[in-house]
Amino acid sequence: MEILRRIICVNTRLLQKRLLHAGFLAALLALSGLGSGCQKFIDLNVKQEPEQWILYGTLRPEEILRVELYRTLPVIGVVSDSFWVSDASVWLKTEGADSVKLEEVGRGIYETAAPVTTGNAYALVAYHLRLPALSTKYLFLPPAPELSYTLRDSVSQVSANRYKSLLTLTFPDTLPSDVVYLNAQVEANQDIFPVQENVFDTAPLSASCYSAGRAIYVDMACTGSRTLVLDLPEYENNSGVTLPIEAFVIECGISSSSELDFFSALYQEEGFELGISDPIRLPQGITNGYGFWSVASGRVLRIER
């Protein structure tokens, strides 16, 4: 459902500009007929844009590259049952080396056979009979940076038999003010659970802060703050029994801003008023497509309790 929501959001943003002009025309024609006492049928010609790609891809050091490929949906007409792109020819290009073909491992999901290595610049190209050729710019994949931060771990009781954990991470002033991303998992009752986005206490989420899945992205140059707070409820099993969190597994590193910029624009729900609002422009880092092509280079910290 999250993927479908993203596809719908992308098409909503693309629809804004078309409705901006069509909405004004319809309003003027409707007003002109108020005093006539009769009905008028109006044909609005909403321009159909050609299908475009939607790409989600992030390069990570020494990991297999996994990308997701979808297509934009038509404004009017029959919508295909599948919004993912299958049977595409997808290639990872490396400067000074042969291109590597990605294999389709699921519906719209493509992977490399071997991990990508640091110290190289990578670009992605994709081909499909129904879509124009997709291409990205080259991105350099650096080694994971030496990140240092202080961490405070505390547990508080919120009600009878209900507890929550509070993790506070503070980064030094020497940390580059690029986009910092944070992935978190908790271990409870010998199981591992991802920390979901709604438990991050980093309000207000704005153009400089966005949580996608279990990752949170913060542009410290915009926030002016170097402290992140994770407000985590204790794990509760299906029987409603609260279990203590035994350990945290946190990955933290530096990321490119393309993913942050894309989702920040995509999920700006405020200001979308049909026909009268200015269209929100999605970042254009991909030729013949939308989405993001980014890097995320980080290190993993395990905190036993």
Side-chain angles (χ1 to χ4, degrees):
M1 292 302 294
E2 173 62 19
I3 292 298
L4 181 57
R5 177 176 178 240
R6 292 179 185 179
I7 305 297
I8 292 173
C9 280
V10 170
N11 284 275
T12 299
R13 298 312 179 204
L14 299 179
L15 179 60
Q16 281 184 294
K17 187 174 183 179
R18 302 164 210 164
L19 291 179
L20 178 65
H21 303 292
F24 276 126
L25 177 60
L28 290 174
L29 291 174
L31 288 175
S32 65
L34 286 178
S36 63
C38 62
Q39 292 181 335
K40 292 185 178 180
F41 295 93
I42 304 169
D43 292 327
L44 291 180
N45 183 18
V46 179
K47 182 182 178 182
Q48 288 280 55
E49 298 290 343
E51 284 187 327
Q52 299 280 300
W53 299 80
I54 301 176
L55 162 68
Y56 300 135
T58 299
L59 293 159
R60 297 179 179 274
E62 313 306 328
E63 291 187 15
I64 289 175
L65 172 63
R66 179 188 178 97
V67 301
E68 301 174 36
L69 293 174
Y70 306 95
R71 59 168 58 91
T72 56
L73 304 178
V75 177
I76 299 174
V78 178
V79 177
S80 173
D81 293 335
S82 60
F83 47 83
W84 54 84
V85 179
S86 295
D87 302 324
S89 178
V90 186
W91 296 82
L92 181 66
K93 299 171 62 177
T94 309
E95 291 182 332
D98 294 334
S99 298
V100 175
K101 191 174 190 301
L102 279 70
E103 299 297 331
E104 187 172 6
V105 298
R107 296 186 298 187
I109 300 175
Y110 298 79
E111 291 183 352
T112 56
V116 294
T117 57
T118 60
N120 296 308
Y122 298 94
L124 193 79
V125 294
Y127 307 96
H128 193 274
L129 292 177
R130 292 181 52 189
L131 294 165
L134 174 142
S135 63
T136 70
K137 62 181 180 180
Y138 277 92
L139 290 181
F140 182 75
L141 181 61
E146 294 291 343
L147 290 178
S148 63
Y149 48 83
T150 58
L151 186 144
R152 185 176 63 189
D153 177 14
S154 63
V155 180
S156 61
Q157 185 172 0
V158 294
S159 62
N161 300 320
R162 301 287 297 177
Y163 299 85
K164 73 175 182 178
S165 299
L166 196 68
L167 286 182
T168 304
L169 290 83
T170 302
F171 297 88
D173 292 337
T174 55
L175 180 70
S177 58
D178 295 338
V179 173
V180 172
Y181 77 91
L182 183 70
N183 287 333
Q185 291 180 323
V186 298
E187 296 182 6
N189 197 29
Q190 300 181 339
D191 289 325
I192 299 177
F193 306 92
V195 173
Q196 299 300 326
E197 61 181 285
N198 61 339
V199 301
F200 286 104
D201 184 17
T202 55
L205 291 181
S206 64
S208 59
C209 182
Y210 177 76
S211 59
R214 63 182 180 87
I216 189 169
Y217 297 82
V218 179
D219 189 344
M220 292 184 175
C222 295
T223 62
S225 173
R226 295 181 179 272
T227 299
L228 296 178
V229 178
L230 283 71
D231 194 351
L232 311 173
E234 295 292 290
Y235 168 67
E236 182 177 306
N237 64 14
N238 293 332
S239 301
V241 178
T242 299
L243 302 175
I245 294 177
E246 301 161 357
F248 297 98
V249 181
I250 297 177
E251 178 191 3
C252 188
I254 301 296
S255 173
S256 60
S257 61
S258 55
E259 183 171 355
L260 173 76
D261 294 339
F262 175 75
F263 282 118
S264 295
L266 191 65
Y267 289 159
Q268 283 185 33
E269 303 296 344
E270 297 296 329
F272 176 57
E273 300 173 8
L274 292 178
I276 60 174
S277 65
D278 291 331
I280 297 176
R281 304 189 184 281
L282 295 176
Q284 299 293 308
I286 302 170
T287 302
N288 292 325
Y290 302 90
F292 61 84
W293 174 244
S294 65
V295 297
S297 186
R299 298 184 182 276
V300 178
L301 173 67
R302 178 183 170 84
I303 306 168
E304 300 278 358
R305 305 183 78 185

